[in-house]
Amino acid sequence: ALREASEAGDLSGVSRAAHTLKSSSRLLGGLGLGDLCQDAEHASDMGVARELVPQVIALSQTFGSALTAWMAA
């Protein structure tokens, strides 16, 4: 949802998806991922679309790493 909203330029969608992922990540102990989500949520709320591209890339990479580590545990 986050990537799709970002690609579509849907800042409201990015904010919602980042907020949801932030909460879930922190609940499961993914504090770094939660911090990245918070940054993306803030950037989208402020309407700073160009800052979202690196945020979404970083989120995707961090989420992939976190998911791999969680599945290996």
Side-chain angles (χ1 to χ4, degrees):
L2 182 63
R3 182 176 292 171
E4 291 83 4
S6 176
E7 290 172 355
D10 177 8
L11 296 179
S12 178
V14 170
S15 181
R16 282 190 308 274
H19 180 80
T20 299
L21 185 54
K22 175 185 71 177
S23 300
S24 299
S25 298
R26 289 181 172 167
L27 180 66
L28 297 173
L31 302 180
L33 181 57
D35 291 345
L36 288 172
C37 291
Q38 182 173 337
D39 292 344
E41 181 182 8
H42 179 69
S44 61
D45 287 344
M46 298 300 292
V48 188
R50 69 176 172 267
E51 288 185 16
L52 290 175
V53 174
Q55 293 293 340
V56 171
I57 291 169
L59 280 167
S60 295
Q61 292 170 342
T62 303
F63 179 74
S65 298
L67 183 59
T68 299
W70 181 72
M71 291 178 72

